[in-house]
Amino acid sequence: MEILTSSTASCCHVVNLRWKLAENGSNSSQLKLPTSRERKILFARTNQRNGSLRFSSVDKFLKKLNHGKGSRSLDSFGGLKNGNSKVFSGNSSSYVVGGEDDVGSITENGESPTKVLIPGLPDESNGEYSAPISSCFWKWKPKLNVHYEKAGCENVNSPPVLFLPGFGVGSFHYEKQLKDLGRDYRVWAIDFLGQGMSLPVENPTLFSKDGAASGGKDSIWGFGDEIEPWANDLVFSMDLWQDQVHNFIEEVIGEPVYIVGNSLGGFVALYFAARYPHLVKGVTLLNATPFWGFLPNPIRSPRLARIFPWSGTFPLPANVRKLIAFFWQKISDPKSIAEILKQVYTDHSTNIDKVFSRILEITQHPAAAASFASIMFAPQGQLSFRETLARQALNSS
C-alpha cells in the first residue's frame, strides 16, 4: 500500500495520482499505479514560508522535487513529455511545481506563495473533453441515503479511485478531479452521512405533546424530544463513516480501490485502510486531520465514556438544542461561510462561487443543524491517527 501526503488544498493535489507515470510507451500520460510488490510509505511536509516540499522515505525521483527553484516542469525529471511553458492557460499537457509572479495571492509578508498546479485539466471553454459526472444515491440504511458522484465508469479495465471529502463539504468538492480523471479511470466521490447531500430523509425525532405545547417546531429536524425507532443509536461519527466507506466499496464499487482523502476524509481513509487493508490498493492524504472527536470512545475507554451521559445520539438534550440553535445561526450565516472559505483558500484568485453556493444550500436542509451537533459531540474512533499510521507501517512492511 502506498500513502501519499500533502498539506495543500485538495483542489490542487490529485497530481499525486499522476506522479508515477509510465516511462515507456507512446502515451506519455499513462498512469502507472503501484503494484502490491511496490508498497511503500511516503511522508511529505510543506514549508509554509516558501511552499517547498520535504520528503522522507521516498525514492530519488520524488526527492528531486525538493531541489527545484521557482516554476519548474516535472518533465525535466523524466516520465513526462511535451512540457509547455503556458502552464496557466489550461493548454499544457504537463505538470508544474513552482509559482508565477502574476498568478495567485500575495501573502501578508509580501511573498508570492509557491503553487502546485494541474494545468492539464480539461478546458471545457475551448471544447476539450471532460468526463461527465453522474449524481447518484445509494440506500444504505433506513432513512439514510448516501449521495455520491461518479465518472468514467465505462473505463472498465482501469483502476477505481474513491475520493473522501473534508468536513462541511461533499463530493462536489472534487468536481475538477472527477472531470479530469474520469476520462481515463473509474472515479467515485461520496458525501459522508450527516454532511453534504447524505443527510437524513426524515426527521429522526418527534415532539411529545409536552414538547409541542412548549413551542417546539418540527421545521428543524432532530430538535424533538423523542426518538424515531429507525434513528436509535444513530450518531455521525468516525466509526459510522468508516463503516459507510466499507459498505460502499463492497456493495457499489465491488473491488479494492485507491482512496484519496482530504482533511477529515484523510483520517477516514487512513482509518479505513488500517482496518480493511485488503480493500485498499493505496492511500493519498491531502491535509489529513490527525484528530477527530472530543469525547472518549465507549469501546476503547468504557469507564471514561460513562462520565459523559450524551455523545451525539438523538434526541439532542434540551441544553444542547439551545446551544446549537445559537451557534448554528452564526455558523450558517452567508457572511460567516464566505469568511471561512476566504481563510481556507489562501489563493484568492480561485473561483469558489460554486463551493459557496453548495455549502449554503446544505446549511438550509432541515436536518443540517442537528447533524452538525451530532458530529461535534460524537465520540472518537476506536483507533487514533497515530495507531492507524502504525498499522499502515505493518501492512506495508
Side-chain angles (χ1 to χ4, degrees):
M1 181 184 302
E2 180 174 354
I3 301 176
L4 299 177
T5 74
S6 170
S7 58
T8 50
S10 62
C11 61
C12 300
H13 267 81
V14 183
V15 66
N16 283 335
L17 291 176
R18 302 254 187 174
W19 272 350
K20 285 181 171 290
L21 298 176
E23 297 181 2
N24 300 316
S26 57
N27 186 359
S28 62
S29 62
Q30 181 182 0
L31 180 64
K32 182 182 180 183
L33 292 165
T35 65
S36 59
R37 296 182 180 181
E38 298 175 313
R39 295 177 177 176
K40 59 185 175 181
I41 297 180
L42 165 64
F43 293 95
R45 182 181 302 172
T46 299
N47 186 317
Q48 297 298 334
R49 290 187 175 181
N50 56 28
S52 63
L53 297 177
R54 298 186 63 185
F55 299 89
S56 59
S57 300
V58 59
D59 55 40
K60 294 181 180 180
F61 171 74
L62 290 176
K63 282 184 178 178
K64 291 182 180 180
L65 290 176
N66 202 37
H67 298 321
K69 295 182 179 180
S71 179
R72 186 175 182 183
S73 172
L74 295 183
D75 182 46
S76 60
F77 302 136
L80 285 171
K81 299 181 179 180
N82 301 324
N84 190 325
S85 60
K86 297 180 180 180
V87 297
F88 302 107
S89 66
N91 298 321
S92 173
S93 59
S94 64
Y95 299 97
V96 173
V97 175
E100 288 283 332
D101 293 335
D102 57 345
V103 176
S105 63
I106 303 299
T107 58
E108 293 180 358
N109 58 7
E111 297 177 357
S112 178
T114 303
K115 299 164 65 72
V116 180
L117 304 174
I118 307 181
L121 287 174
D123 186 355
E124 296 175 291
S125 63
N126 290 336
E128 294 183 16
Y129 169 74
S130 63
I133 299 176
S134 300
S135 179
C136 312
F137 283 92
W138 166 56
K139 187 176 181 179
W140 181 34
K141 293 185 176 184
K143 316 301 181 183
L144 294 175
N145 295 338
V146 175
H147 174 259
Y148 66 97
E149 296 184 344
K150 63 181 181 179
C153 290
E154 68 278 5
N155 303 316
V156 293
N157 295 322
S158 298
V161 182
L162 175 62
F163 287 89
L164 305 181
F167 173 63
V169 290
S171 54
F172 64 86
H173 212 212
Y174 291 115
E175 178 184 6
K176 292 182 179 179
Q177 285 81 0
L178 266 64
K179 286 184 175 181
D180 179 27
L181 295 177
R183 295 181 293 180
D184 302 304
Y185 310 102
R186 292 176 292 148
V187 193
W188 289 263
I190 67 173
D191 295 359
F192 288 133
L193 285 171
Q195 303 181 55
M197 295 174 65
S198 294
L199 292 164
V201 298
E202 291 185 10
N203 192 341
T205 63
L206 51 85
F207 286 94
S208 63
K209 293 183 178 180
D210 293 339
S214 62
K217 297 181 180 179
D218 58 4
S219 59
I220 302 179
W221 294 0
F223 276 57
D225 50 11
E226 293 185 3
I227 187 70
E228 291 281 11
W230 64 266
N232 275 324
D233 301 321
L234 174 63
V235 54
F236 299 120
S237 65
M238 179 67 65
D239 287 310
L240 177 71
W241 294 325
Q242 70 94 23
D243 283 341
Q244 174 190 346
V245 172
H246 179 204
N247 284 267
F248 184 83
I249 292 175
E250 288 193 331
E251 298 182 23
V252 179
I253 300 179
E255 63 180 289
V257 300
Y258 292 91
I259 300 185
V260 182
N262 169 235
S263 188
L264 168 62
F267 195 165
V268 176
L270 204 58
Y271 194 147
F272 172 77
R275 302 192 69 176
Y276 303 97
H278 63 287
L279 293 177
V280 180
K281 293 183 176 181
V283 178
T284 299
L285 304 180
L286 311 171
N287 276 351
T289 178
F291 176 84
W292 194 263
F294 297 100
L295 301 184
N297 184 279
I299 296 178
R300 181 185 178 95
S301 307
R303 291 184 179 180
L304 187 59
R306 282 196 290 267
I307 299 176
F308 301 91
W310 181 74
S311 56
T313 55
F314 295 94
L316 309 182
N319 58 339
V320 174
R321 276 179 261 161
K322 294 179 181 179
L323 180 67
I324 292 300
F326 173 78
F327 279 104
W328 186 250
Q329 185 177 7
K330 305 291 184 181
I331 296 171
S332 61
D333 183 83
K335 292 182 179 179
S336 299
I337 297 173
E339 185 61 32
I340 292 174
L341 290 176
K342 188 176 180 181
Q343 296 176 22
V344 172
Y345 288 86
T346 56
D347 179 4
H348 295 163
S349 66
T350 303
N351 189 336
I352 57 174
D353 291 346
K354 185 176 293 187
V355 174
F356 172 81
S357 61
R358 293 296 296 273
I359 294 177
L360 186 61
E361 179 184 354
I362 293 169
T363 63
Q364 296 171 350
H365 190 283
S371 298
F372 173 79
S374 177
I375 293 171
M376 290 294 98
F377 287 91
Q380 300 172 1
Q382 295 182 39
L383 296 176
S384 68
F385 191 83
R386 185 181 297 274
E387 288 169 330
T388 61
L389 284 175
R391 286 201 183 189
Q392 294 302 337
L394 291 175
N395 293 338
S396 302
S397 59

